[in-house]
Amino acid sequence: MPQNQGPGVRRRVLASALTQLREEAGLDFDDVVENLGYSKSKISRIESAYTGVSIVDTKALAELYGAAPEKIAWLLRLAKVAKKRGWWHVYGDVLFDWFSEYVVLESEATTVNIFEIDLIPGLFQTPAYSWSSMRAYAPDATDEVINKRAELRQTRQRRVEDGSLSVWAIIDEAALRRAVGGAEVHAEQLNHLSKVVEMPNVTLQVLPFGKGQHMAMGTAFHLLKFVDFPSVVYIENLTGGLYLDEAAEVERYSLVLDHLRATALDPQDSIALIRRVIGGL
């Protein structure tokens, strides 16, 4: 069973921001103890993201560190959403711990940039395609579990459908060619994809085989962007998910995305390729 990859991304961002503010203010743990009466162990747990931070504690720490009002407001919003529960909790019995973080982040993102190698992105998948890919990933799971996971994926798509989430996806040609679920499911998925790309908040580019090597070979990833806190990169493997939020890491993946956009077909030519693949089925 995949294991939880540690504290939530937003908790880590909040902990890092508070630590940086304390250090910039020239204060140590003893100063915090003296001014706020917190124990050193509490401060350590907060700064290591071992425990969450209440809104009250966030405000008290930020004010002690001399943070500007707009910075304090940002930290308070971050503390609030770090404790947020949402619609995804009804899927808690079938949702891997490491992926639950992603669902929370995606629900708050304004934009998701995606690079996929041999799968159609989950936000664009049909129910049958989702079910087939999930069954392949977990052949020992019950139909009930697979059905619920597929339902979760469809629910995630609502933000794309209502326009509140913008998606820029770059997919390898392999994703178009791989007949997940068999010929009928494959055809249905590609026809659905050809309609999704017409949405104003969706941009899709295909990276054709003929382009050869590129900067992201072998590594699919998502880059999520937000209004109130820094971007996060998500990389998934067979047993867990990796979340990267250091500025240098995010910058590197942003550079790779720029390279992929320049290398892949433009959106119009990508749609044309999708239709040619459909015509050849």
Side-chain angles (χ1 to χ4, degrees), residues 22-34:
R22 178 180 61 76
E23 292 174 346
E24 289 175 349
L27 302 178
D28 57 23
F29 281 14
D30 289 330
D31 295 314
V32 180
V33 171
E34 180 180 348

Side-chain angles (χ1 to χ4, degrees), residues 167-207:
V167 182
W168 191 319
I170 303 167
I171 62 174
D172 195 278
E173 185 177 345
L176 301 181
R177 303 287 184 181
R178 186 170 299 281
V180 172
E184 185 175 342
V185 172
H186 184 204
E188 179 190 40
Q189 176 61 70
L190 292 184
N191 277 293
H192 175 69
L193 188 62
S194 69
K195 296 181 177 65
V196 169
V197 297
E198 296 176 355
M199 300 175 68
N201 57 314
V202 172
T203 301
L204 178 71
Q205 292 181 262
V206 177
L207 187 60

Side-chain angles (χ1 to χ4, degrees), residues 130-186:
S130 292
W131 198 95
S132 298
S133 62
M134 290 178 175
R135 169 54 72 202
Y137 173 77
D140 55 342
T142 66
D143 283 351
E144 180 182 4
V145 168
I146 297 297
N147 289 341
K148 200 165 184 180
R149 288 177 182 165
E151 180 183 313
L152 166 63
R153 186 164 292 177
Q154 299 303 306
T155 304
R156 287 170 47 213
Q157 295 177 7
R158 291 176 183 169
R159 291 199 59 214
V160 181
E161 295 165 356
D162 67 19
S164 63
L165 178 65
S166 295
V167 182
W168 191 319
I170 303 167
I171 62 174
D172 195 278
E173 185 177 345
L176 301 181
R177 303 287 184 181
R178 186 170 299 281
V180 172
E184 185 175 342
V185 172
H186 184 204

Side-chain angles (χ1 to χ4, degrees), residues 4 28 36 52 54 62 71 78 82-83 97 104 142 153 156 159 176 201 210 221 224 249 253 260 268 273 281:
N4 195 327
D28 57 23
L36 297 179
S54 70
K71 184 74 169 184
L78 191 57
K83 297 178 177 296
D97 286 344
V104 174
T142 66
R153 186 164 292 177
R156 287 170 47 213
R159 291 199 59 214
L176 301 181
N201 57 314
F221 64 92
L224 300 96
E249 295 170 325
Y253 279 88
L260 291 171
Q268 272 61 46
L273 177 56
L281 296 179

